[in-house]
Amino acid sequence: DHGSFYYGTFPTGFSWGAGSSAYQTEAWDKDGKGLSIWDVFSHKKGKVQYNGTGDAACEGYYKVKDDVSLMKELKLNHYRFSISWPRILPTGIKTEHINEKGVQYYDDLINHLLENKITPVVTLYHWDLPQILQEKYGGWQNISMVNYFNDFANLCFERFGNRVKYWITFNNPWSVAVEGYETGEHAPGLKLRGTGAYRAAHHIIKAHAKVWHSYDMQWRGKQKGLVGISLGGDWGEPVDISNEKDIEAAERYVQFYLGWFATPIFHGDYPQVMKDFIGRKSVQQGLGTSRLPTFSPQEKSYIKGTCDFLGIGHYTTRYITQKNNPSSRGSSSYFADRDLAELVDPRWPDPGSEWLYSVPWGFRRLLNFVKSQYGNPMIYVTENGVSEKMACTELCDDWRIHYHKDYINEMLKAIKDGVNVRGYTAWSLLDKFEWDEGYSERFGLYYVDFRNKNKPRYPKASVQFYKRVISSNGFPNQREVENWRRKAIETCSSSNQLLAADPLTSHMEMVTEIVVPTVCTLSILLSAVFLMFLLRRRD
């Protein structure tokens, strides 16, 4: 039953967190940081909504103590953030130059988290490749990235590994590959249709495996940490559950998404359905070999099992039906290779992002899929949340409370099904730069006023609700949970009035900084003109 709610609590020791990433929050060019592909991409006109950039973002680089105090207020057990590769290694290469100021920034963040009993969960790659590696080698199209990334990872293990016990190699490599090298919507903005995404993914999988082995051989013994990967995955549900073609298409949708990366890491090779479909279409297009690269027997055994825990980033669901795409030479693409169509139910809530519909039951199905396909691995939900798209300020985010409540509840049901989920990360702690959507979407539990140069943070109602879920480790009973929501909405109403008045303060700042000097200058000029006019009349 999609609509039923399960009242109950999570296992003892379940970890509650929130997350962010470097480029989305920090500030771009401070203290010797090198350029990343996102610095360059976002500065090209028309690439990002309203030409937004991550230049200042949330000014997180200067607000470590402030932001850790927000996490403490939320009662978080863990905080997930990423280390910016070009902030540590401005040229991308370990042997050339280590930026000690960048190292110090992350040292301070990790130490503040630990002082406040918050576990740091560190992502090594959240999309901000050093630009110089893109220019010199073509970025993830080039096998040399495997060794450069391994060097960067080892530097992070060396400097931070005595305190960090949870490492994530890559965040959502599907987006890196497809949106970076197939559609060009994300940095570096390349449109290598039908080949670019597969090549990038191939090198990312090899890079992940190499870093896992490096940690296993060199660091695990003394640091006792874990290395995993965070994979994005929407659920695909057959349009017609009695139609075999739709069932196969829905399975294919998930295999081309989550399975593309998870299956090599758990089983040593790409999903058979990807090999079959891409191979057949490549032959039909007159190509001698498949556009999907292959792993050698040695690579398969090297990659298989390189996962201490699996991170899952999940937001939404699609209905899937079979659709045959023609296989002409000029029409090859990742999307055409799948032979399916994605549909949405018009009744699904749609709060903000055009791709994000609230479909909680899909989450439980995806988690059970992971359990059955990959031998019930240890899972940490590394991203789950919802955006809003609105011009005016709104701290009373009732739809976000509903989204988190329902999705967290489906995760609880999955745990009751026997899925080995150990933690949950709400995405995200703060409103921030949202990639090609710029600042037009907000995912934060805390509202950030981007118009104010100090980027102040304000708690939304969802902060109070999530805090109570954490304190109770779940949903004790119906009356209490309904009470949490009511109180959360009550607390946000007064804050909302304060923030609604805040644009007036920003306006006053603008008046004093820009308007007053301009008016003064104009007054002096007008006075001078008037004086000259009087003098002329007197003559």
Side-chain angles (χ1 to χ4, degrees):
D1 178 5
H2 292 171
S4 69
F5 195 86
Y6 177 83
Y7 290 93
T9 54
F10 284 80
T12 307
F14 191 85
S15 185
W16 298 95
S20 74
S21 86
Y23 186 71
Q24 292 178 283
T25 54
E26 284 178 5
W28 76 304
D29 65 346
K30 305 295 185 287
D31 290 340
K33 177 188 165 291
L35 281 177
S36 79
I37 53 174
W38 268 97
D39 292 320
V40 173
F41 183 78
S42 68
H43 281 95
K44 292 176 181 169
K45 294 284 179 246
K47 297 294 185 185
V48 173
Q49 187 83 271
Y50 307 125
N51 293 314
T53 73
D55 289 7
C58 308
E59 297 284 8
Y61 191 73
Y62 303 106
K63 290 180 172 282
V64 169
K65 285 186 176 175
D66 295 351
D67 289 343
V68 172
S69 70
L70 298 181
M71 299 171 211
K72 193 176 180 182
E73 160 67 18
L74 250 177
K75 301 188 184 306
L76 296 186
N77 307 132
H78 71 263
Y79 177 59
R80 181 187 168 211
F81 64 94
S82 72
I83 290 178
S84 166
W85 185 348
R87 193 178 293 287
I88 302 281
L89 295 173
T91 63
I93 298 171
K94 186 177 175 182
T95 51
E96 290 185 10
H97 168 53
I98 296 168
N99 180 20
E100 292 297 340
K101 285 185 176 176
V103 172
Q104 188 61 51
Y105 166 71
Y106 293 111
D107 265 334
D108 291 345
L109 174 53
I110 291 163
N111 291 339
H112 281 304
L113 288 169
L114 292 171
E115 283 160 17
N116 288 280
K117 298 183 170 50
I118 300 165
T119 300
V121 177
V122 177
T123 308
L124 292 167
Y125 189 81
H126 201 127
W127 308 357
D128 49 357
L129 185 76
Q131 173 66 15
I132 196 162
L133 297 182
Q134 185 65 44
E135 288 173 4
K136 279 174 96 169
Y137 303 104
W140 291 107
Q141 293 299 293
N142 194 307
I143 190 68
S144 65
M145 290 308 102
V146 173
N147 286 331
Y148 288 133
F149 181 65
N150 187 57
D151 288 345
F152 163 62
N154 275 283
L155 176 62
C156 292
F157 299 149
E158 179 190 329
R159 296 300 186 94
F160 312 119
N162 60 333
R163 289 153 294 154
V164 174
K165 305 303 171 195
Y166 292 88
W167 295 98
I168 292 166
T169 53
F170 290 89
N171 179 74
N172 194 357
W174 183 94
S175 274
V176 178
V178 173
E179 293 171 317
Y181 295 92
E182 168 91 21
T183 66
E185 295 163 85
H186 283 186
L190 300 179
K191 297 179 181 178
L192 309 169
R193 297 196 190 281
T195 58
Y198 298 133
R199 194 179 298 119
H202 201 66
H203 296 146
I204 285 169
I205 292 163
K206 288 183 178 184
H208 160 81
K210 186 162 181 110
V211 167
W212 186 91
H213 282 287
S214 287
Y215 189 84
D216 198 49
M217 291 174 71
Q218 201 175 336
W219 305 102
R220 193 190 297 276
K222 50 194 167 194
Q223 295 183 354
K224 307 283 191 288
L226 300 173
V227 176
I229 188 167
S230 175
L231 302 180
D234 294 346
W235 178 245
E237 182 77 3
V239 167
D240 179 354
I241 55 168
S242 64
N243 182 328
E244 195 60 40
K245 293 275 187 210
D246 281 4
I247 293 167
E248 287 171 6
E251 161 96 7
R252 200 158 60 243
Y253 175 80
V254 180
Q255 292 289 5
F256 264 78
Y257 203 144
L258 180 84
W260 183 4
F261 300 90
T263 308
I265 288 166
F266 285 96
H267 299 315
D269 200 2
Y270 290 118
Q272 191 60 44
V273 71
M274 286 188 79
K275 295 198 288 185
D276 291 346
F277 270 65
I278 301 163
R280 185 172 67 249
K281 283 177 180 281
S282 300
V283 169
Q284 288 167 355
Q285 288 153 358
L287 301 172
T289 56
S290 175
R291 286 180 282 103
L292 182 69
T294 56
F295 294 115
S296 70
Q298 293 84 354
E299 286 170 341
K300 288 176 188 177
S301 60
Y302 185 75
I303 292 163
K304 184 179 178 179
T306 54
C307 202
D308 301 325
F309 65 90
L310 178 62
I312 295 286
H314 172 80
Y315 292 92
T316 194
T317 286
R318 292 288 182 271
Y319 278 121
I320 305 297
T321 188
Q322 163 76 20
K323 180 194 174 190
N324 290 329
N325 292 309
S327 296
S328 63
R329 180 169 280 205
S331 68
S332 67
S333 81
Y334 161 84
F335 295 101
D337 286 340
R338 303 178 305 169
D339 275 355
L340 56 85
E342 301 176 41
L343 306 165
V344 297
D345 186 328
R347 294 168 297 181
W348 288 345
D350 163 25
S353 308
E354 59 190 23
W355 56 273
L356 208 174
Y357 296 81
S358 180
V359 195
W361 52 263
F363 192 21
R364 180 184 184 183
R365 297 194 179 201
L366 182 77
L367 291 170
N368 272 284
F369 174 89
V370 170
K371 175 189 172 213
S372 63
Q373 289 275 318
Y374 306 118
N376 205 13
M378 189 196 306
I379 294 172
Y380 281 88
V381 174
T382 41
E383 281 188 33
N384 177 245
V386 67
S387 59
E388 74 251 30
K389 252 193 163 146
M390 50 179 60
C392 57
T393 304
E394 180 54 272
L395 297 183
C396 298
D397 54 346
D398 199 25
W399 68 92
R400 185 172 283 107
I401 289 173
H402 277 292
Y403 180 97
H404 280 295
K405 174 180 163 239
D406 292 342
Y407 272 75
I408 290 169
N409 197 245
E410 291 298 318
M411 176 176 66
L412 179 59
K413 291 179 191 174
I415 289 171
K416 299 292 174 191
D417 298 334
V419 182
N420 188 14
V421 186
R422 301 290 187 88
Y424 174 83
T425 308
W427 197 263
S428 55
L429 182 72
L430 306 170
D431 289 338
K432 59 201 181 316
F433 177 81
E434 289 300 337
W435 310 110
D436 57 319
E437 296 295 337
Y439 297 96
S440 68
E441 293 181 359
R442 293 174 176 271
F443 274 84
L445 296 165
Y446 286 90
Y447 178 91
V448 177
D449 185 356
F450 293 109
R451 298 158 305 181
N452 185 321
K453 63 178 182 231
N454 296 319
K455 308 290 191 291
R457 284 81 158 118
Y458 300 86
K460 300 178 190 176
S462 49
V463 165
Q464 293 304 322
F465 186 82
Y466 187 42
K467 186 174 160 182
R468 288 190 160 95
V469 173
I470 294 170
S471 298
S472 303
N473 199 32
F475 308 100
N477 59 66
Q478 187 171 357
R479 209 165 93 194
E480 201 169 335
V481 173
E482 283 169 4
N483 201 27
W484 294 349
R485 189 186 147 271
R486 197 179 68 252
K487 284 186 174 172
I489 296 299
E490 281 169 11
T491 58
C492 77
S493 297
S494 54
S495 311
N496 223 28
Q497 286 162 7
L498 285 172
L499 188 54
D502 201 58
L504 190 60
T505 317
S506 300
H507 180 68
M508 292 304 289
E509 278 179 19
M510 189 187 78
V511 166
T512 53
E513 288 175 18
I514 301 167
V515 178
V516 170
T518 307
V519 169
C520 290
T521 308
L522 283 169
S523 301
I524 292 163
L525 285 167
L526 285 168
S527 301
V529 170
F530 187 61
L531 193 62
M532 285 169 68
F533 176 71
L534 285 175
L535 288 168
R536 275 190 155 177
R537 284 196 66 177
R538 187 174 288 179
D539 291 345

